[in-house]
């Protein structure tokens, strides 16, 4: 079974600071990788996804993530955060094995607070 | 709004009572998922439907939990004889019939068992 670790539970940044949220997964096979975001009072929304190809993927709102297969990592980055980026961020993995191809395994989330 | 709709938003019940939640997926999505999220944790997979067929169930889904999707459209999740440990946010998601199709989540039903 796969698992996902998010290293930081709570990150506090000032506006315009750069962001990097760590995500490591544990699974020996081929995976799909996702970052979801949950703004206060809203539902989970897809930020970006990686299935194959270029390991650097770009998502909405200026976010990007890099898949490093050798490190089993999929860190989320943004060069300059805004107050509106305050939210909880979840990394998720979908293992492409026949027994679990359809369920996402989520990390425990990182709460990002951006100070104006 | 044509997103995933869940009802009710909040449910408070006494231990031992039965509760039922409803999920209406995005209309063209034939895959439907239920997840549970507790405080400080990410969502945990409970079960998955392709049309009306329940294809996967997590070991988290005890025999007190039952989910249905009778006509391949909306789904219900019932919890019988609720326990305090069932208190959580229950999330529904739907997706297209493609392995690479991302999940679209509803706002969830927050269950509090007193």
């Amino acid at each position: 079974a796969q698992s996902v670790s998010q290293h930081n539970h709570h990150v506090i940044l000032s506006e315009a600071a750069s962001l990097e949220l760590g995500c490591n997964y544990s699974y020996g096979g081929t995976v799909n990788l996702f970052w979801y975001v949950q703004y206060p009072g809203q539902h989970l929304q897809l930020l970006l996804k990686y299935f194959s190809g270029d390991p650097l993927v770009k998502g909405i709102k200026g976010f990007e993530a890099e898949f490093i297969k050798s490190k089993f990592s999929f860190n989320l980055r943004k060069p300059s955060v805004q107050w509106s980026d305050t939210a909880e961020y979840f990394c998720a993995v979908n293992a492409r094995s026949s027994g679990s191809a359809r369920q996402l395994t989520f990390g425990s989330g990182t709460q990002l607070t951006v100070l104006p | 709004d044509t997103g995933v709709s869940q009802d009710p938003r909040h449910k408070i019940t006494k231990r031992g009572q039965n509760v039922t939640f409803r999920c209406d997926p995005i209309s063209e999505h034939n895959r439907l998922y239920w997840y549970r999220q507790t405080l400080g944790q990410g969502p945990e997979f409970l079960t998955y439907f392709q049309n009306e067929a329940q294809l996967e169930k997590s070991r988290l889904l005890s025999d007190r939990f039952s989910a249905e999707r009778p006509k391949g459209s909306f789904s219900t999740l019932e919890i019988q004889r609720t326990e305090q440990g069932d208190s959580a946010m229950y999330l529904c998601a739907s997706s297209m019939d493609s392995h690479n199709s991302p999940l679209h989540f509803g706002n969830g039903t927050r269950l509090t068992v007193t």
Side-chain angles (χ1 to χ4, degrees):
Chain A
Q2 63 268 28
S3 64
V4 179
S5 296
Q6 292 185 241
H7 315 300
N8 309 102
H9 294 294
H10 196 180
V11 172
I12 302 173
L13 296 173
S14 297
E15 275 194 316
S18 64
L19 170 72
E20 181 160 4
L21 301 182
C23 172
N24 285 88
Y25 68 93
S26 173
Y27 185 72
T30 307
V31 294
N32 298 324
L33 296 155
F34 306 81
W35 276 96
Y36 278 83
V37 59
Q38 189 166 27
Y39 297 103
Q42 296 188 26
H43 59 272
L44 280 162
Q45 301 172 44
L46 182 67
L47 203 53
L48 49 78
K49 60 186 186 289
Y50 171 81
F51 295 141
S52 63
D54 188 344
L56 183 63
V57 292
K58 295 190 184 298
I60 59 172
K61 303 186 181 185
F63 285 91
E64 65 179 30
E66 185 175 13
F67 170 48
I68 303 180
K69 188 175 181 180
S70 61
K71 294 184 178 180
F72 297 90
S73 70
F74 190 57
N75 292 356
L76 181 71
R77 299 194 294 249
K78 185 171 184 178
S80 176
V81 295
Q82 301 173 319
W83 177 79
S84 58
D85 293 325
T86 294
E88 189 153 22
Y89 292 81
F90 293 93
C91 181
V93 63
N94 172 311
R96 289 192 230 166
S97 63
S98 58
S100 59
R102 289 169 287 273
Q103 54 173 280
L104 280 180
T105 298
F106 285 83
S108 57
T110 298
Q111 175 64 46
L112 172 66
T113 300
V114 180
L115 303 175
Chain B
D1 189 322
T2 56
V4 177
S5 176
Q6 292 188 246
D7 184 67
R9 291 293 301 273
H10 304 275
K11 178 70 177 178
I12 300 173
T13 191
K14 292 185 178 180
R15 189 175 54 188
Q17 297 296 304
N18 299 343
V19 294
T20 300
F21 310 140
R22 178 181 169 120
C23 171
D24 287 87
I26 294 172
S27 57
E28 60 266 29
H29 288 181
N30 58 1
R31 293 186 176 184
L32 187 147
Y33 309 77
W34 285 98
Y35 281 78
R36 180 173 67 187
Q37 186 177 16
T38 53
L39 200 61
Q41 299 298 319
E44 297 173 295
F45 171 78
L46 292 179
T47 190
Y48 151 73
F49 290 84
Q50 173 115 3
N51 299 312
E52 66 276 9
Q54 188 174 18
L55 297 185
E56 287 187 36
K57 290 168 62 173
S58 165
R59 286 167 291 181
L60 293 174
L61 212 64
S62 78
D63 56 6
R64 296 184 297 105
F65 288 68
S66 62
E68 294 183 344
R69 195 182 182 198
K71 297 181 180 179
S73 55
F74 73 92
S75 175
T76 57
L77 177 68
E78 181 183 16
I79 308 174
Q80 296 182 326
R81 305 180 303 281
T82 53
E83 302 173 356
Q84 286 186 320
D86 297 331
S87 296
M89 177 74 84
Y90 289 84
L91 299 170
C92 179
S94 68
S95 73
M96 299 285 282
D97 189 11
S98 165
H99 176 75
N100 292 342
S101 178
L103 271 60
H104 297 258
F105 283 86
N107 284 321
T109 293
R110 181 169 295 285
L111 173 66
T112 302
V113 182
T114 62

